[in-house]
Amino acid sequence: MPPTSTASVAIDLGSSVITTVVGERHELGHLHILGVGQAPSVGIEAGQITHVSRAAAAIRNSLDQAEASSAREILSVGVAVSGPHLQSMNNRGAVALPSFGEPIRDSDLIRAIDSGRAVTINTASTLLHAIPRFYVVDSERRSFDPRGQHGQRLDVSMHLVTASQSAIQNAAHCVQNAGVDVELIAAKPVVAAERAIRSDEKEFGGLVIGLDAGVTSLTAYEDGAISHTSAMQIGTAHIARDLSIGLHCTNDEARRVMQSHGYAIPQLVPDSAPDIELHGFSPDPDQSQVIAAGFVAEIIYARVCEIITMIASRVTEHQLQHAVNGGIILTGAGALLNGVDLLFSKGLETPARVASVGDVYGLTDKLSKPDSFGAVGMLDWMLDSGDAMRANQSSNLRRHAEGAGSMFGSLASGVAGLARVFSPNS
């Protein structure tokens, strides 16, 4: 197979499915998907590696499918990671402008960003993202792109996302064990949210909630910029576990029932809904029983309500009410549950919608659902911001090469540092 040329490759290390996407940017700005690979996730729980060799084999399986469907050899990838270890903060940086008579240049923005990302984090964490939220010229004029303006002082508000150093190392190690280089690493809640949210929702406020298998992530936007990123260790895998216990069936059968017959609100189950046949009972695998669809919905409802309660608590803790008031955008496997948007809307007292992947062309049959935002968002992020991220990664690699002793520390600290540097609201 010939190597990829202008195409990029993204991997979402999900807790239920590992998705690899090969794609490029169409001349009109749309994503063109050239190849897709999906493999059951093994050795990954709550977004973190629990078994290196099994995870590497699952990643290789996904890569092989993507290579076959795209007819391209995959040499390097961007990796979307998640997990409860992700945390965020907002910080302010400021620099003096060299001359009032000279317009603000790219170099001035970079100096301001370097100032805004200069924070102290604990030794077990690494800076995964340093995203400019907005700029302020002379403490007066707020701007998303101040280049060409004149002033004496340039401030920048930065959104910083940190991750566990060991989690990033483990993810990179598994991908490399699968036979490809790690080009970039990014936080799945960030890249998925950037794909899911609309520009008007950014401006008026919005909270993107990723209902994934192992974690539920929150990404908040206020006044046109990202303001919060975090993840909680609860997700649809917990719903499947509840169903397994409540229905006395295997976990695989519980996941099938949830995906095929899942309602988040019992009252939405049609009166004409047939009973659900369950299989896989020991010791006779052919043994089956039937269960009412309404009972399944009651189990799902209880766990989703708990997730909503936990989200409401985090909204209060981090003062995200303005973002919530703008609306809820749901992504992830949990967004496929019937009526889940209505339940979130009622529970958080704000409009809610299930996100759409948007304008994507090519091999899209496996990427049309809201559980594909991790891979599609990572591909989008790489194509939009790849040059700035690669330049910053290379800079950090050189800067830390002598003291790091390993590529992983410098890679994690450098990845995505200058993403969307000059137009953070794009």
Side-chain angles (χ1 to χ4, degrees):
M1 294 181 185
T4 57
S5 52
T6 59
S8 292
V9 184
I11 292 183
D12 172 18
L13 298 183
S15 297
S16 61
V17 177
I18 296 173
T19 302
T20 302
V21 178
V22 182
E24 58 190 2
R25 180 74 67 200
H26 190 271
E27 59 182 7
L28 298 178
H30 305 312
L31 282 181
H32 184 208
I33 305 301
L34 304 172
V36 179
Q38 292 182 317
S41 184
V42 182
I44 303 176
E45 294 181 8
Q48 300 183 75
I49 305 299
T50 57
H51 196 291
V52 172
S53 61
R54 292 177 182 174
I59 293 169
R60 186 65 255 175
N61 186 3
S62 180
L63 287 167
D64 287 342
Q65 294 180 40
E67 286 186 333
S69 60
S70 65
R72 294 165 182 252
E73 181 182 12
I74 297 175
L75 303 177
S76 63
V77 299
V79 184
V81 298
S82 189
H85 58 90
L86 295 176
Q87 298 182 6
S88 68
M89 69 183 82
N90 296 321
N91 190 48
R92 193 97 169 189
V95 294
L97 297 172
S99 173
F100 186 77
E102 294 291 331
I104 296 173
R105 306 175 187 274
D106 292 351
S107 58
D108 299 317
L109 270 62
I110 293 174
R111 288 192 301 116
I113 289 168
D114 284 340
S115 172
R117 63 185 295 176
V119 297
T120 302
I121 59 177
N122 66 65
T123 56
S125 298
T126 187
L127 182 61
L128 196 59
H129 289 284
I131 305 172
R133 302 180 63 238
F134 56 83
Y135 302 89
V136 178
V137 180
D138 287 347
S139 302
E140 296 177 357
R141 305 187 300 276
R142 173 173 162 168
S143 174
F144 289 110
D145 187 354
R147 287 177 297 174
Q149 299 183 35
H150 293 262
Q152 295 177 311
R153 172 187 168 121
L154 178 64
D155 291 63
V156 62
S157 175
M158 300 290 295
H159 183 66
L160 309 177
V161 181
T162 62
S164 163
Q165 179 82 4
S166 60
I168 297 301
Q169 289 177 343
N170 290 335
H173 185 57
C174 282
V175 173
Q176 289 184 322
N177 279 2
V180 294
D181 291 332
V182 177
E183 186 175 341
L184 301 169
I185 297 180
K188 178 178 176 178
V190 172
V191 298
E194 281 290 312
R195 181 72 193 182
I197 196 166
R198 300 191 299 249
S199 58
D200 60 325
E201 292 169 328
K202 278 189 178 183
E203 184 63 33
F204 294 107
L207 181 65
V208 182
I209 299 176
L211 299 173
D212 297 315
V215 298
T216 294
S217 62
L218 306 180
T219 310
Y221 291 82
E222 302 177 57
D223 299 322
I226 188 171
S227 62
H228 174 84
T229 304
S230 65
M232 303 178 293
Q233 193 167 337
I234 187 171
T236 58
H238 294 77
I239 299 176
R241 192 174 300 122
D242 292 344
L243 289 172
S244 177
I245 295 172
L247 304 180
H248 305 290
C249 65
T250 64
N251 203 50
D252 287 343
E253 182 70 357
R255 281 197 298 269
R256 183 193 68 81
V257 170
M258 178 181 66
Q259 293 167 359
S260 302
H261 307 280
Y263 281 83
I265 302 177
Q267 290 80 1
L268 294 181
V269 178
D271 293 336
S272 59
D275 290 340
I276 301 168
E277 187 174 7
L278 302 178
H279 299 278
F281 290 86
S282 293
D284 182 4
D286 295 327
Q287 181 183 358
S288 65
Q289 71 173 23
V290 294
I291 198 76
F295 180 61
V296 171
E298 289 174 3
I299 296 175
I300 295 174
Y301 171 78
R303 180 63 81 171
V304 176
C305 284
E306 180 188 4
I307 294 174
I308 293 174
T309 300
M310 294 174 66
I311 291 173
S313 176
R314 185 155 295 193
V315 165
T316 300
E317 177 186 355
H318 295 281
Q319 299 179 353
L320 304 177
Q321 289 84 354
H322 181 66
V324 171
N325 290 339
I328 301 295
I329 303 99
L330 298 172
T331 69
L336 296 170
L337 294 169
N338 293 294
V340 70
D341 53 339
L342 299 177
L343 187 55
F344 268 84
S345 179
K346 181 179 180 181
L348 297 176
E349 298 181 338
T350 190
R353 70 175 179 89
V354 175
S356 170
V357 175
D359 293 329
V360 180
Y361 298 92
L363 301 178
T364 61
D365 54 315
K366 296 181 180 180
L367 302 175
S368 60
K369 297 179 180 179
D371 57 353
S372 64
F373 273 93
V376 176
M378 184 68 205
L379 181 64
D380 212 16
W381 185 269
M382 294 175 70
L383 293 171
D384 282 354
S385 309
D387 291 341
M389 287 190 283
R390 290 180 185 91
N392 190 53
Q393 174 184 322
S394 298
S395 172
N396 278 276
L397 283 170
R398 291 192 299 270
R399 187 182 309 161
H400 298 288
E402 183 174 339
S406 166
M407 69 158 286
F408 296 120
S410 52
L411 172 65
S413 63
V415 165
L418 294 182
R420 305 181 196 275
V421 165
F422 304 130
S423 185
N425 197 39
S426 61

